[in-house]
């Protein structure tokens, strides 16, 4: 079977946005296939605001999450493999889901 993680991410993203909250994802930034600005990585992780107002061209695919966002006013293309996402949650109340490393 395919991984359920991309489907859960998309569903939780929609649920968070529809409830007027801000979706954040916590990402394992130590993987070689994760494209994020390394200067914002702390303890091997980065937390990204993926709300509609914060990113452009968000694509929550089955294999990868892609979008364009700004850090210190400079554009950056984000590419995060779905299995590098450690959690998705609402900034306002922390509701969401944490994924285990071996959730496949």
């Amino acid at each position: 079977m395919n991984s359920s993680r991309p489907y859960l991410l998309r569903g939780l993203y929609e649920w968070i946005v529809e409830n007027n909250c801000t979706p954040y994802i916590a990402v394992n930034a130590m993987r070689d296939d994760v494209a994020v600005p390394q200067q914002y990585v702390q303890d091997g992780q980065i937390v990204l605001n993926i709300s509609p107002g914060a990113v452009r061209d968000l694509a929550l695919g089955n294999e990868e999450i892609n979008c364009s966002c700004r850090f210190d006013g400079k554009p950056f293309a984000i590419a995060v493999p779905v299995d590098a996402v450690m959690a998705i949650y609402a900034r306002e109340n922390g509701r969401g889901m944490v994924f285990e490393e071996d959730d496949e």
Side-chain angles (χ1 to χ4, degrees):
M1 286 186 82
N2 294 335
S3 171
S4 61
R5 191 178 299 203
Y7 302 94
L8 294 169
L9 284 168
R10 285 191 291 271
L12 286 165
Y13 174 85
E14 284 185 36
W15 174 70
I16 291 167
V17 171
E18 284 180 10
N19 282 282
N20 297 313
C21 291
T22 309
Y24 277 15
I25 56 172
V27 176
N28 174 357
M30 299 310 293
R31 293 179 37 159
D32 291 336
D33 54 355
V34 171
V36 296
Q38 291 298 308
Q39 64 267 36
Y40 297 99
V41 173
Q42 294 181 351
D43 298 323
Q45 299 179 34
I46 188 167
V47 175
L48 301 171
N49 174 350
I50 58 168
S51 67
V55 300
R56 298 188 109 178
D57 304 319
L58 178 64
L60 298 171
N62 286 344
E63 300 296 325
E64 193 168 69
I65 297 171
N66 295 285
C67 63
S68 176
C69 55
R70 293 190 166 281
F71 291 87
D72 284 334
K74 297 176 184 163
F76 196 93
I78 299 293
V80 175
V82 169
D83 60 353
V85 176
M86 300 167 15
I88 182 168
Y89 60 94
R91 178 191 72 191
E92 291 77 4
N93 58 22
R95 294 190 65 192
M97 180 176 279
V98 175
F99 299 100
E100 296 295 325
E101 192 169 330
D102 58 354
D103 275 355
E104 287 292 321

